Amino acid sequence: MDTEKSLSPSAEVDILEPTETRRMRVNVGPSHPAMHGVIQIVVEVEGETIVYSDTNFGYLHRGFEKECENHTYQLCIPYTDRLNYVSPLINNEGFCLAVEKFFGVDVPERCKYIRTMLSELSRISDHQTCIGAAAMELGAFTPFLYLMKGRELIYRILEEVTGHRLTINYMRPGGLAADLPEGFFEHLRDILPVIREVTSETDKLLTKNRIFIDRTRNVGAISKEDALSFSYSGPCLRACGMAYDVRKAFPYSAYDRVDFEVPVGSTGDTLDRYLVRMAEMEQSVRIIEQCMRQIPDGPVSVNDPRVILPPKQEVYHTIEGLVNHFKLVYEGIRPPKGEVYQMVEGGNGELGYYIVSDGTGRPYRVRVRPPCFMIVSSMDFMIKGAMMADIVPVFGSLNMIAGEMER
Amino acid sequence: MWIDLLIVTCKVLFMFLFVLGIAGILTWVERKQSAVLQDRIGANRASIFGVRMIGLFHPIADALKLFTKEDFVPLHGHRVLFVLSPALAIVPALMTFAVIPFGDNVHVLGREVSLRVSDINAGVVLVFAIASLSVYGITLAGWASDNRYSLLGALRGAAQMFSYEVVLGLSVIGILLVYGTLDLNEIVRAQGGYWLGFIPRWGVFVQPVGFLLYFTAAFAETKRMPFDLPEGESEIVAGYFTEYSGMKYAAFLFSEFCEMVLVAGLSATLFFGGWQLPVDVARGLALPLVGVVHISGLWVPLLQLLTFCLKVVIFLWLLMQIRWTLPRFRYDQVMSLCWKVLLPLVLLNIAVTAVAVLAVKG
C-alpha cells in the first residue's frame, strides 16, 4: 500500500513525492470559549486554513413562537424579553407596536419618546456587549471591561425605570407599565458622558491598534449583493455600504422627529462592522439627548379600554372598570381578525413580528423575523478559505444572540 | 572543598528561590495589575483567619487547589510524553538563570566569589541554547495530548518559537560585537561608567534597535499576549495544554512566568547594565538632602543585587502592561512579522554594528 511504502525506511522512497495528507476535522463548539455554548461549527482545516465548515445551531430553541399561541398578548411580552436578551426593550417595543397596529391606536407622545430613549439605551448596551465580547475573544480583555463598565450604568438606569436589569417586561400594548421614575433625567444626564468616555477609551485601544486592524480588515468580508441575498439587515448590512435602517426607512415611535445619521461602511469586513457599531453608539447618544429635550408631559398610556388596563381607581369603585379589568386579564386583549407585520431596528437589524389574530385573546400565530438567523447563516460563506483564528473575530462581529436567533 | 560546595549550593538555592518566588508573586501581580488597568479591585477573597493581605494569599490558594486536582491523562494520549512535557517546559526556563549575574564578584571567606551560579564564559550562548529546548515541552505536550486543539497549538508554538529564536539570537549579536565577549558578567562590567558624565554606558544606548528587536523576539518566546497563539484561548481553547490539569497545568503556567523573569533579567543584563547602579558607587552614593554617602563592604553587592532586582521588576511591569493592552496576532501575521520585518532589520543591525565597531576599534 502507499502508506506502507512511504513509511518504510528503504532508500528507494522518492522524497519529492508528496506525503499523503488528510484534512483535520475540528469541532468548534458548542463547548468552546468563543461559541457561548450555543453554536457548533464543524470545520475542516488544512494546516490553519478552513476548507470546509458547517455551522449548526438550535441549542437554545425554546419555542417562543409556539408558546405565544397559548398566552394572551400581554403574557407574551415577558417572552419577548428573552429573545435578544442584551437589548430586551427593543423586542418589547416591536411586539407592542405590532399589537397596537391591530387596533390602530396611537400611543401618547410621551410614551413614544420614552420608548425611543430606552430603545436607544438598549441599542448602546447591545453594541457595547458585541464590541466588548469580540475584542475579548481577540485577546483584548481591557476594552471589554471598559465597555462593561458603561453597560453597567445603562443596566442601572434601566433597573430604575423597569425594576429589572435583564428581563425588563416594561412596555405594554398601548403604552408603558409605568412612567419614568423621579430623577431619571438627571441620572441619564450623568451617565451619557460616561458612555461617551468608555466609547472613546475603546476607540483608542482598538481603532488605532495595528494588531486589531490587521486581525479584522478584509476578514469575513461580504459584498453588498451577497449580504442582501443572505437577507442581511442592521449594522452588518450597513457595514457593506447599504444605508438601510428601519428607523429611517419606516420610522416608528419618535424616530421621525429626531435627527440622526445612519453610518455605513464600504467593504463589509469585520473592521467595518466594528466601526459601524462604534458610530451607531454615538448616534444613539445623540438621539437620547434630543429626546430628553423634546419629551412632553402627559400620560404614558393610551386611554383605550380595549388594550390598556383601567386605572385602579375605576377598578375598585365602578362595576364597568372591574369588568373591564377582569376581561382584559382573563381573556386578554382581543385584536380584530387579521394579520400584521411590524418591524423595529433591533440591535442586530430588522426585528420583525408577524402576528395573525383570529379575534380571540390569544394570537393564532406569531412569527419572529430574527436578524441574527440570516446573518449567522452566512457564517460558512464568510469563513471559507479563512484561517482558523479568523472564526473568532468574524463570529464576534456578527453578534449572534442565540435567544433571538433560535427563538 | 566543602566551602565551595556550600557557596555553590547557596547560590543555586538563592537563584531558585528568587525565580520561583518572583514567578509565584507574578501570578498575583498579573491579577492586580490587570485589575488596576481595568478599573477593578482584583483578587482579594483568599484569607487566612480573616486576614486578606490585599490578595497575596491567592498564589497559595491556587497552589493548594492545583495540588488537589485530579491528575488527568487522556485515554489515547502518549502517557510518558504527556507526563514528561511539563518538566521539559519548566526545566530549561529555570536552568538559564545559572549564568545571569546578580552582582559583581565579592570576597567571602577568603576567596573571590562571583554572584552567579555558574561561571561559564560563553554565557550568552548557553542561555539561548537551553532556552531553545523549551520548544520540546510545548510540541510534545500538544502531540501527546491526543487533542486536535492541542495539536494546532503545538504546531503554532513550534513554528513561532523556531522562527523567533532566529531573530532572538541574531538580535544580541550586535551587543556581542560591541563588547567583544560572550561572558555575561564581562558584558555587565563593560556597561559601567558614563558618557558625558551623566548617560550610563548601557547597552541600550549603543544598540537601541538591537534592544527593540531583542525585546520583541523575547516577548514572542514567552508566548504571552500578543504572541500567545500557541495558547490561543477562545480560538483553540487553551492550545497545547488544553488537556492538562492540576500541577502539570501549573508547570506550564509557571514556565511562562519563569520565561518572563528570564526575559526581564536578560534585558537588564544585556541592555540596561545588569547589576550596575545608575550612580557611581566608587565615588560614593550621592543622595539628595543627605549628601554623599560612602559605601563599602557588603553594602556594594547588596545594592547591586537590589538594582538588578529593580530592573527586573520594571521589565516585568512592562511585559504585564503590554500583555493586558494588546489583542492577539494571527498565526500568519506573527510569521510574516518575524521573517519579513524583524529578520531583515536584525541583519541590517548586525551589518551596521559590525562596520561601526570596525571603524571605531580599527
Side-chain angles (χ1 to χ4, degrees):
Chain A
M1 306 280 272
D2 278 341
T3 27
E4 266 172 42
K5 196 179 99 189
S6 63
L7 284 175
S8 67
S10 72
E12 285 100 74
V13 173
D14 183 7
I15 53 162
L16 292 177
E17 197 177 291
T19 327
E20 191 194 328
T21 55
R22 266 187 308 152
R23 290 172 181 176
M24 185 160 75
R25 183 173 271 236
V26 187
N27 238 339
V28 184
S31 56
H32 180 279
M35 294 298 137
H36 313 214
V38 284
I39 189 165
Q40 178 196 38
I41 304 177
V42 181
V43 291
E44 274 184 14
V45 286
E46 266 173 15
E48 289 254 341
T49 312
I50 298 164
V51 286
Y52 166 80
S53 70
D54 185 13
T55 309
N56 300 317
F57 39 79
Y59 290 88
L60 205 65
H61 174 66
R62 294 160 302 181
F64 164 76
E65 293 170 353
K66 193 73 192 162
E67 204 67 37
C68 284
E69 293 170 18
N70 289 312
H71 289 76
T72 62
Y73 287 89
Q74 299 104 309
L75 289 180
C76 292
I77 290 172
Y79 287 121
T80 64
D81 292 340
R82 286 143 180 89
L83 288 173
N84 184 343
Y85 36 74
V86 193
S87 51
L89 276 157
I90 304 180
N91 312 335
N92 272 196
E93 189 180 13
F95 190 79
C96 294
L97 285 170
V99 179
E100 283 158 15
K101 217 174 187 178
F102 271 122
F103 291 98
V105 294
D106 198 23
V107 293
E109 284 297 292
R110 187 174 173 80
C111 170
K112 286 186 182 172
Y113 278 101
I114 294 174
R115 281 182 179 180
T116 309
M117 246 181 328
L118 296 183
S119 291
E120 291 310 308
L121 277 176
S122 306
R123 188 179 324 282
I124 295 172
S125 78
D126 195 284
H127 287 353
Q128 279 174 335
T129 314
C130 169
I131 293 170
M136 181 181 67
E137 278 154 14
L138 277 178
F141 200 73
T142 306
F144 169 70
L145 284 164
Y146 286 169
L147 287 167
M148 286 303 107
K149 191 176 72 185
R151 193 181 81 162
E152 177 58 31
L153 294 173
I154 293 178
Y155 273 8
R156 272 191 207 155
I157 204 164
L158 289 182
E159 192 183 2
E160 266 177 34
V161 178
T162 67
H164 298 269
R165 290 162 60 85
L166 198 67
T167 51
I168 42 93
N169 184 22
Y170 177 62
M171 296 185 189
R172 301 279 181 275
L176 304 169
D179 200 349
L180 293 174
E182 246 174 69
F184 171 80
F185 288 104
E186 288 75 37
H187 193 172
L188 192 58
R189 220 163 274 136
D190 288 343
I191 70 160
L192 286 183
V194 187
I195 291 171
R196 282 212 166 103
E197 194 196 317
V198 295
T199 316
S200 90
E201 277 176 337
T202 313
D203 192 61
K204 281 177 204 152
L205 273 169
L206 294 179
T207 319
K208 296 181 181 68
N209 187 325
R210 175 71 194 273
I211 301 176
F212 182 77
I213 290 175
D214 280 353
R215 283 302 302 272
T216 51
R217 178 171 284 161
N218 294 329
V219 170
I222 187 164
S223 70
K224 202 194 316 187
E225 291 71 33
D226 286 331
L228 283 174
S229 75
F230 272 111
S231 194
Y232 265 43
S233 56
C236 294
L237 178 64
R238 292 195 279 277
C240 308
M242 172 111 180
Y244 171 68
D245 189 319
V246 180
R247 295 173 294 172
K248 280 273 188 210
F250 306 99
Y252 53 94
S253 292
Y255 284 110
D256 49 348
R257 273 157 286 172
V258 288
D259 173 42
F260 66 101
E261 284 154 27
V262 178
V264 288
S266 50
T267 50
D269 56 7
T270 306
L271 181 64
D272 269 3
R273 286 193 280 271
Y274 157 78
L275 290 174
V276 163
R277 282 205 169 88
M278 286 296 271
E280 276 187 17
M281 286 204 280
E282 172 57 30
Q283 296 302 323
S284 294
V285 174
R286 272 185 66 200
I287 295 175
I288 294 168
E289 282 171 345
Q290 292 175 51
C291 287
M292 282 164 72
R293 280 198 296 274
Q294 296 178 13
I295 186 166
D297 285 333
V300 291
S301 296
V302 68
N303 187 14
D304 188 332
R306 289 176 303 166
V307 284
I308 209 91
L309 288 177
K312 290 286 171 289
Q313 187 72 20
E314 276 180 38
V315 179
Y316 294 145
H317 293 102
T318 64
I319 185 67
E320 292 82 5
L322 185 64
V323 171
N324 188 359
H325 185 98
F326 176 80
K327 297 268 278 184
L328 277 185
V329 171
Y330 203 74
E331 292 176 357
I333 54 178
R334 301 162 71 103
K337 242 183 191 175
E339 54 183 51
V340 292
Y341 178 73
Q342 172 68 42
M343 66 277 220
V344 285
E345 180 70 23
N348 283 327
E350 182 182 322
L351 175 72
Y353 288 93
Y354 171 70
I355 305 178
V356 181
S357 163
D358 54 0
T360 62
R362 289 165 170 76
Y364 178 75
R365 171 88 170 99
V366 174
R367 154 89 183 137
V368 178
R369 182 217 184 269
C372 266
F373 187 84
M374 289 72 174
I375 293 168
V376 176
S377 302
S378 67
M379 190 67 197
D380 297 331
F381 176 80
M382 289 165 103
I383 59 172
K384 188 156 194 196
M387 302 193 82
M388 185 80 181
D390 287 334
I391 294 179
V392 172
V394 172
F395 186 68
S397 72
L398 297 183
N399 191 22
M400 183 216 61
I401 307 282
E404 168 189 86
M405 180 170 78
E406 289 151 12
R407 312 190 287 292
Chain B
M1 176 62 210
W2 64 271
I3 294 181
D4 288 326
L5 200 66
L6 185 74
I7 290 171
V8 170
T9 317
C10 281
K11 286 196 288 191
V12 168
L13 269 180
F14 173 79
M15 217 51 191
F16 219 62
L17 292 178
F18 175 74
V19 176
L20 287 180
I22 285 198
I25 293 172
L26 271 182
T27 61
W28 173 79
V29 171
E30 174 140 79
R31 285 176 173 155
K32 278 295 183 189
Q33 197 175 333
S34 64
V36 171
L37 202 65
Q38 297 163 345
D39 294 350
R40 295 186 285 122
I41 297 170
N44 65 351
R45 291 293 111 176
S47 65
I48 297 177
F49 301 121
V51 184
R52 283 187 175 162
M53 288 278 288
I54 51 170
L56 268 172
F57 292 133
H58 271 270
I60 303 168
D62 280 345
L64 280 177
K65 182 193 80 173
L66 289 167
F67 265 118
T68 49
K69 283 233 168 180
E70 186 196 347
D71 191 23
F72 175 76
V73 180
L75 187 61
H76 299 289
H78 193 298
R79 205 182 170 85
V80 177
L81 288 180
F82 188 83
V83 176
L84 201 62
S85 28
L88 284 176
I90 200 165
V91 167
L94 285 173
M95 259 169 80
T96 35
F97 286 94
V99 290
I100 293 181
F102 44 91
D104 205 352
N105 291 2
V106 285
H107 292 278
V108 187
L109 304 169
R111 60 194 74 208
E112 195 171 342
V113 177
S114 68
L115 287 186
R116 54 175 173 174
V117 175
S118 165
D119 286 319
I120 295 168
N121 60 6
V124 181
V125 179
L126 186 88
V127 166
F128 291 123
I130 294 177
S132 65
L133 291 177
S134 63
V135 72
Y136 284 110
I138 295 168
T139 319
L140 292 177
W143 186 76
S145 291
D146 183 41
N147 179 317
R148 288 168 192 192
Y149 291 123
S150 301
L151 191 61
L152 278 173
L155 286 173
R156 286 179 178 192
Q160 178 181 330
M161 292 186 77
F162 280 135
S163 309
Y164 276 87
E165 230 142 64
V166 177
V167 176
L168 186 68
L170 291 176
S171 63
V172 294
I173 299 275
I175 276 285
L176 303 183
L177 285 173
V178 171
Y179 295 117
T181 175
L182 286 168
D183 190 333
L184 282 168
N185 223 351
E186 289 301 318
I187 291 177
V188 176
R189 280 197 197 106
Q191 294 182 53
Y194 297 88
W195 287 299
L196 308 173
F198 69 98
I199 307 172
R201 285 179 179 271
W202 286 351
V204 68
F205 298 115
V206 200
Q207 282 283 311
V209 182
F211 169 66
L212 287 177
L213 291 166
Y214 162 79
F215 198 65
T216 315
F219 206 155
E221 288 284 301
T222 62
K223 306 182 291 298
R224 280 172 66 80
M225 208 82 88
F227 295 102
D228 72 334
L229 316 152
E231 185 185 332
E233 208 214 322
S234 81
E235 284 167 21
I236 47 172
V237 191
Y240 60 93
F241 56 75
T242 304
E243 294 283 0
Y244 280 86
S245 65
M247 273 325 263
K248 292 208 205 85
Y249 163 79
F252 282 115
L253 219 62
F254 244 68
S255 74
E256 206 176 285
F257 284 122
C258 290
E259 276 168 17
M260 273 177 74
V261 185
L262 175 69
V263 167
L266 269 183
S267 304
T269 307
L270 289 171
F271 294 95
F272 285 84
W275 42 260
Q276 295 275 11
L277 275 78
V279 289
D280 203 345
V281 188
R283 278 187 289 149
L285 205 57
L287 294 173
L289 299 176
V290 183
V292 178
V293 180
H294 291 281
I295 48 171
S296 56
L298 278 174
W299 285 105
V300 178
L302 200 66
L303 269 177
Q304 288 172 342
L305 177 65
L306 282 177
T307 314
F308 178 70
C309 290
L310 191 67
K311 285 173 184 173
V312 168
V313 166
I314 290 173
F315 273 106
L316 289 175
W317 170 82
L318 185 64
L319 287 166
M320 288 278 182
Q321 203 74 5
I322 296 171
R323 184 247 179 276
W324 287 103
T325 311
L326 295 178
R328 187 184 301 118
F329 280 108
R330 201 173 63 199
Y331 174 66
D332 59 327
Q333 288 162 355
V334 156
M335 286 296 131
S336 63
L337 175 73
C338 179
W339 294 104
K340 291 184 188 162
V341 181
L342 295 183
L343 192 66
L345 274 177
V346 81
L347 291 174
L348 194 70
N349 185 46
I350 291 173
V352 170
T353 312
V355 171
V357 167
L358 203 64
V360 172
K361 291 186 180 167

